[in-house]
């Protein structure tokens, strides 16, 4: 699942966004293998906390690499 958020985002908002996207895609959290974010988001507290709460690996992609638009990563 590709993620992005503002610097002041709350972890609950990020988690809710992931869960809502999965619901819209008729998928479950177990279908997600990892969370992906652009490398300029390294250290973003809400992304780190969301990955921990969702028990998913957080992978940073080079910022020039396009993120696929999909609820399942």
């Amino acid at each position: 699942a590709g993620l992005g958020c503002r610097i002041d985002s709350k972890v609950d908002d990020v988690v809710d966004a992931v869960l809502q996207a999965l619901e819209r895609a008729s998928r479950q959290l177990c279908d997600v293998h990892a969370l992906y974010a652009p490398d300029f988001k390294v250290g973003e507290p809400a992304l780190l906390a969301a990955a921990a709460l969702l028990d998913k690996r957080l992978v940073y992609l080079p910022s020039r690499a396009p993120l696929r638009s999909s609820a399942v990563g």
Side-chain angles (χ1 to χ4, degrees):
L3 296 174
C5 67
R6 294 181 182 184
I7 197 162
D8 59 351
S9 295
K10 296 182 182 347
V11 65
D12 292 339
D13 293 337
V14 176
V15 170
D16 287 346
V18 170
L19 297 179
Q20 288 175 18
L22 289 170
E23 185 176 325
R24 283 192 304 272
S26 299
R27 301 292 182 148
Q28 297 180 351
L29 188 56
C30 63
D31 295 323
V32 176
H33 302 287
L35 304 178
Y36 297 86
D39 60 1
F40 62 85
K41 293 290 184 177
V42 168
E44 186 67 44
L47 294 179
L48 293 166
L53 284 171
L54 295 170
D55 194 28
K56 298 297 174 184
R57 185 169 51 106
L58 181 56
V59 178
Y60 295 103
L61 300 175
S63 55
R64 292 187 182 199
L67 293 175
R68 281 182 35 196
S69 179
S70 174
V72 179

